[in-house]
Amino acid sequence: MDLSRKIGIGVVSIIPAFVLGGLVWDWFGSWLAVLGAVVLVGIFSGSVISGKFSTQ
């Protein structure tokens, strides 16, 4: 995977982090829970960028 595609995936994964963070904040009202949700999105997007979910 080329560098521009990896950067694009990283930028696009910011959107679910914001949405999920807002949803978790609405449910729990805790910054720790929001941090956990953002870390989970970061781990998932890092796995995608590193190629762990690649089909090739």
Side-chain angles (χ1 to χ4, degrees):
M1 188 181 316
D2 57 346
L3 182 61
S4 61
R5 184 170 174 91
K6 288 181 181 181
I7 292 171
I9 290 172
V11 168
V12 168
S13 67
I14 292 172
I15 297 167
F18 278 129
V19 172
L20 187 62
L23 188 61
V24 167
W25 174 259
D26 189 44
W27 284 343
F28 300 109
S30 167
W31 285 110
L32 191 59
V34 172
L35 180 63
V38 171
V39 166
L40 285 176
V41 171
I43 290 171
F44 178 74
S45 64
S47 297
V48 169
I49 289 171
S50 69
K52 294 190 193 286
F53 293 114
S54 178
T55 58
Q56 295 178 0

